[in-house]
Amino acid sequence: MRLDIDTLEGGAIGVSCALTLHGGSMRFALASSLEISGLRRGGEVLPPPAGEPCELPFRPQMSAYTLRGEPGDEFTFTYSGRLGGALLYFQSEVRHFSLYNGWYPMEFDADTDIDVTLPGDIAWELIQGRYDAARGLWRYTTRGRAIPDCNILLLRRGWWTRLESGALRLYYCEADQALPAGEAIRACSKIRAFYRSLYGREGASRELTLVYLPHGQDWGAYMRDGLVVFSSLPKDTSALRHTLAHELGHAYACRADSLSWEDWLNETGAEWSALLYELRADRPAFELRLDKLLELSESHPLRLRPLDGSRPDDVHETGTLVFARIYKKYGEEAIITLLRTLDGLQQPDTAALLSALRARGEDSLAGELGAYISPQVP
């Protein structure tokens, strides 16, 4: 899929899209605030497709569209409108929009290999993009990414401070972010070294960029290949270190379906990677967190899979609480076995995890997990 951003002002966007059918149809979702026009199949003019309301986690109100034709048919269309949703920044020093704003065709049958161009000059820097001086525009691609999000993050040069340490770089723009920025640089190298020893490999990317967005949206942090973005910063060093370790843990725990109940694998894998690091870096802080998890596990429903198989609202918590109980019963080595087995799966889902555990002779661990899954998976 090719996306050429034509308009990018004041929260409004205009995009020209070109895509190719791989089968007889393609279904995709787009923010409902964006209007599709100028649909063509080859040289044939078609009426705009009708949208149906759909809900996707972390997105604004979305509409689903279906294009029909023959395999190999090429479609072009434009869409435009105002963006909404979380982590949307159209400020003098930053422009940021992503999956969370539903700005590009996504989910269902949509291509995940996407090439993007957007207007701009060298007064800006596109994080993880490259400048095409011949055409005077920026280029971005999702190709080769484990998390194929068109994550557009434009920073105006001169407004941002950049810190570098080896393959790590960090950007911030607020004066009170300087201290946590320095702490993050120091902690990041230690966390990544621990993860290399834990998993026996580098994460999603050797190079890593951290960005502290301007104050205004308290939405935590998120991770993409080689990128961690903070919209708010924890107030103390321990919390900052833990948040950073969790997001870096997603370099190893990010491949399960994030739109279904299987997302517990991503969140539990990242959180317990962080907790194992904390066990070594700050044992009192680890023990305090563990005590809170065990206490919460006594009152929190511990069902990993809802009856309808949907993605539950507590997907960040339940698996973490289950692992806390397993840690208490079996110890650290059991958690290491679970994390390494999860990381080594060809098919990253719960059924494959249980099967791999049994194949390794870890029937007790498989049984422990299976007890929290209803209806049962094989």
Side-chain angles (χ1 to χ4, degrees), residues 66-262:
T66 301
L67 302 179
R68 293 183 171 84
E70 300 295 329
D73 280 354
E74 296 184 354
F75 285 82
T76 59
F77 56 90
T78 62
Y79 58 89
S80 60
R82 297 190 67 82
L83 296 176
L87 293 173
L88 178 65
Y89 287 79
F90 274 78
Q91 299 174 198
S92 52
E93 74 273 30
V94 58
R95 292 173 179 175
H96 179 238
F97 47 100
S98 67
L99 171 147
Y100 302 120
N101 312 110
W103 78 269
Y104 59 91
M106 61 180 62
E107 306 299 347
F108 307 120
D109 309 318
D111 285 336
T112 56
D113 285 341
I114 307 173
D115 297 315
V116 183
T117 66
L118 61 158
D121 54 32
I122 57 173
W124 294 85
E125 179 178 358
L126 177 61
I127 299 299
Q128 297 187 321
R130 66 178 181 86
Y131 187 63
D132 184 339
R135 296 189 59 191
L137 49 76
W138 285 94
R139 295 185 179 274
Y140 181 92
T141 185
T142 64
R143 296 178 187 274
R145 300 183 186 273
I147 306 175
D149 178 16
C150 287
N151 190 81
I152 303 302
L153 182 49
L154 274 166
L155 308 181
R156 185 181 287 277
R157 299 182 195 273
W159 290 68
W160 295 78
T161 299
R162 186 171 78 179
L163 305 179
E164 294 193 54
S165 176
L168 170 66
R169 62 178 56 180
L170 185 151
Y171 298 80
Y172 69 91
C173 63
E174 307 275 10
D176 63 352
Q177 294 172 336
L179 188 61
E183 175 60 30
I185 287 285
R186 289 187 290 273
C188 194
S189 297
K190 297 176 182 178
I191 294 167
R192 299 183 83 194
F194 170 71
Y195 287 167
R196 285 193 295 270
S197 69
L198 175 62
Y199 290 104
R201 66 178 183 88
E202 196 73 55
S205 176
R206 190 185 72 84
E207 295 185 352
L208 179 65
T209 299
L210 279 66
V211 178
Y212 290 173
L213 292 171
H215 298 318
Q217 296 195 41
D218 186 9
W219 211 74
Y222 71 88
M223 196 252 186
R224 298 293 182 262
D225 297 50
L227 174 68
V228 179
V229 178
F230 292 86
S231 67
S232 60
L233 296 175
K235 295 182 180 179
D236 64 87
T237 299
S238 176
L240 173 64
R241 182 180 59 233
H242 184 84
T243 300
L244 181 58
H246 175 96
E247 296 304 329
L248 293 179
H250 278 304
Y252 302 89
C254 65
R255 297 181 298 124
D257 182 2
S258 62
L259 296 182
S260 76
W261 70 280
E262 300 281 7

